[in-house]
Every structure is written in structure tokens, then in C-alpha cells.
Amino acid sequence: MASSRKVQIGPLAMGGDAPVSIQTMWDKPVDAVTPELVSTINNFAAKGCDIIRFALPNMKSVDALAPLLKQTEMPLVGDIHFDYKIALKAIEAGFQKIRINPGNIGESWKVEEVIAAASHHGTVIRIGANEGSLAGEGDWTPEARSRRLIEAAEQNLELFERKGFKDVVISLKSSDIEVTYLSNRDFRKRHDYPLHLGITEAGPLIPAIVKSTLGLGDLLKEGIGETIRISISDNPEYEILAARELLSNLGLRRGQIRIIGCPKCGRTSFDTHGFLESVKEELNTLPLDASVAVMGCSVNGPGEAKHADLGITGNGNQVLIFKRGDIIRREDICSAKKAFLEELEQLRQEFSS
Ligand code: SF4
């Protein structure tokens, strides 16, 4: 597959030889930048989020969020509908990328003003088509729906191309996984703009992860998709962790811990669910290209734990801690967490030395 062009969103490159980036969207209105907001964004970054989008429904929301630009290195995307003046204000404020739907911005001179301001400030613009807002008639096969989606995106693109504006990211969104696959695959054959992949309205945690994995996995395997969002009707943190898991399993992302955990059964002598819950923050934020196994008993536990960089498994009323194949500690269940975290820290030091 032909490679995409590269665009620069603040410190983040998207497209070309840049790794596939992970994004999420803030899930509530923001009246002011608080220390909690900044620390949550930093935590999202530690979990793998590369870029975050905020809804900017009015002028006030731009003023409320602008101070965040100086308090985080993560590029911010302003999501704007209907009013081109909000887009102009967000660009002036320094948002590194905006997302607009040219169709609801109105007359083309308004879109042209946005393009001129974005050119001047080096702002990237995501434009795209969403199947939910298309008036579809007649043929409802995935192929026909995909063609309509591509046509809508190309109509939106037309003015940008006429103005010679190339700092564009495109999204073609559908809640159907086949339409998502076909439209993005065929669009890439025709254009080299970076593609933002996602299944729209994917639903709650489990359906969203299954649909997104099926819908995006094949595209990513074919080298299509420069940034992804796993839309989930839940905490944005899950979107980041799911995206990272998908990319990591496809070999497209490194630098985060891969977790092997047993589901537990009647043989368990160690509560792997509770243990994983108690150490998830450390496992999800340490930037280690390592595997960690958390297993329940001595039947399958030692085998899996041995193959991991760090493993822990129940063994009667004790746990065994493994490091790269060797048992390095035996602990009572009550000291398991402390011992495990000590070894995790040791591993971190080895990786960073
Ligand atoms: S490792 Fe042991 S406790 Fe966990 S699922 Fe396998 S047999 Fe059951």
C-alpha cells in the first residue's frame, strides 16, 4: 500500500513513517483548566495517548481551554461545528489541529477563512464524512455505502485542494465494520492524506472493543490508518488502553507492558483479578517493552510466568515470582504485591540503564 503524506501536529508527526498514533476525546464540558485536568492528561500520556480532542461548542470554551496549551505537551484538537468563528479563534489560540465538518460550517467563504488562518498558523485540519449524516438512497450494499462515504469526503476535500491546503487528515466513519474497511481501503488508493480510523457510535466497552478490533485490524495490517480512536461509551482511559492493546498486538506499538493474566478457575490459590486491579496503574503507565504474567495456580501458572520478563503465580498458600524463567522469590500472599512491585521497579531500572 502506498504510504501517506506526513503532517505535523505540534510535536506529533502523523503519516509517512510516523508510528500510528492513539487519540481519545475528553468526555465532558470544560469551564476551566484545573490541576486535575492537567494531571489526567499527563496520566493519559503515560498510558499511551498521543493526542486529545476537546469539543469547542462556543467561544467561551476556547478561552476556557486555551491555558491548557501551555500546560501539556500533548497536541490538542478542537472539535468545531457550525460556527467558523470558533474555528478561527481556536486556531489563533494555538490548537495544533481542528476538526471541522465543512458541510455544517456553511458558505464556502467561511471555510476559506478557516483554511487561510490554518495555513498561516500551521494548523492541521481533520475533515471527513460520517455515514450517519449522509442522505443515502437506493443501494445499501457495503460497497455502495462505502462509495457514498468516499464521495462525501471528496466533496469536503474539494475546496481544500483548490486552495492548495494539504495539512489535512481525513476520516470516513461508519458504525458498520465492512463499510469502514472498504471506504478507508478504497480512499487510500485514491489519496495519500493521513487517515483517522474509528468505528463511530461503537457502544459500551465490550461491543466497542470487538467492533473496533474487527473494523480497524485488517486496515492496520495493510498499513492503512495513521491515527486511531477506539470510541467507547465509557471512560476515555479505556479508549487509550484498547487502542494501545490493538496496536501492540499488531506489532505497531512498543514501549508498554504486555500483560498475560489467567482468567482464574476452581484451582486458583491466588486472586489474579484482584491483584491485577491493585497493580494496574503501575502496569499501564510504566514505559517498559516487557511482558508480565499474573497466574492463579501451579498447573499452568509456572509455564506462563517463566516465559514472561516478570511473572507471579499462586502456589498453595504462597506465590512464586519468576524473572525471565527463574524463580527469584517465594512470598506469602499478603506480601505478594509489595514483592512484585519491588521486582517491577528493578526491571524498570534494568530497562533504563
Ligand atoms: S492458571 Fe491455574 S487458576 Fe489460572 S486458569 Fe489456569 S488452571 Fe485455573
Side-chain angles (χ1 to χ4, degrees), residues 8 10 17 20 27-28 33 40 49 61 68 78 92-93 98 110 114 124 189 231 256 259 294 301 344-345 352:
Q8 193 68 36
D17 59 358
V20 179
D27 61 346
K28 45 187 99 60
V33 174
T40 304
C49 185
S61 59
L68 184 58
E92 288 282 335
I98 60 166
K110 294 178 179 169
V114 175
V124 171
K189 288 179 188 159
S231 298
Q256 269 119 17
I259 302 169
V294 178
L344 193 62
E345 170 57 21
S352 57

Side-chain angles (χ1 to χ4, degrees), residues 150 219 241 268 298 331:
I150 292 173
L219 288 165
L241 295 174
T268 193
S298 53
E331 297 283 339

Side-chain angles (χ1 to χ4, degrees), residues 53-125:
R53 181 159 49 114
F54 287 88
L56 299 178
N58 48 43
M59 296 295 215
K60 225 169 63 182
S61 59
V62 182
D63 289 328
L65 271 162
L68 184 58
L69 289 156
K70 292 201 168 62
Q71 296 179 58
T72 177
E73 288 181 9
M74 192 183 293
L76 307 186
V77 187
D79 191 283
I80 296 136
H81 289 273
F82 306 117
D83 187 349
Y84 80 107
K85 288 188 182 153
I86 303 174
L88 296 180
K89 190 172 169 83
I91 291 168
E92 288 282 335
F95 279 77
Q96 294 94 336
K97 181 178 169 204
I98 60 166
R99 180 258 175 145
I100 58 168
N101 177 347
N104 71 29
I105 293 288
E107 296 97 317
S108 53
W109 65 265
K110 294 178 179 169
V111 180
E112 284 175 20
E113 283 207 24
V114 175
I115 293 173
S119 296
H120 182 69
H121 286 87
T123 313
V124 171
I125 303 181

Side-chain angles (χ1 to χ4, degrees), residues 262-270 272 295-301 313:
C262 92
K264 277 205 317 189
C265 72
R267 280 180 287 268
T268 193
S269 60
F270 179 48
T272 54
M295 307 298 291
C297 78
S298 53
V299 177
N300 293 329
T313 185

Side-chain angles (χ1 to χ4, degrees), residues 257 282-283 286-292 309-311 321-324 328-329 337-353:
I257 291 177
E282 288 82 358
L283 294 180
L286 273 180
L288 298 187
D289 197 7
S291 56
V292 167
D309 290 298
L310 185 62
I321 297 183
F322 290 77
K323 189 166 183 184
R324 298 190 183 110
I328 53 166
R329 288 171 83 152
K337 180 178 171 184
K338 181 171 174 292
F340 176 84
L341 290 179
E342 284 168 5
E343 295 306 326
L344 193 62
E345 170 57 21
Q346 180 64 32
L347 201 62
R348 187 192 68 74
Q349 287 177 20
E350 289 167 17
F351 269 78
S352 57
S353 64

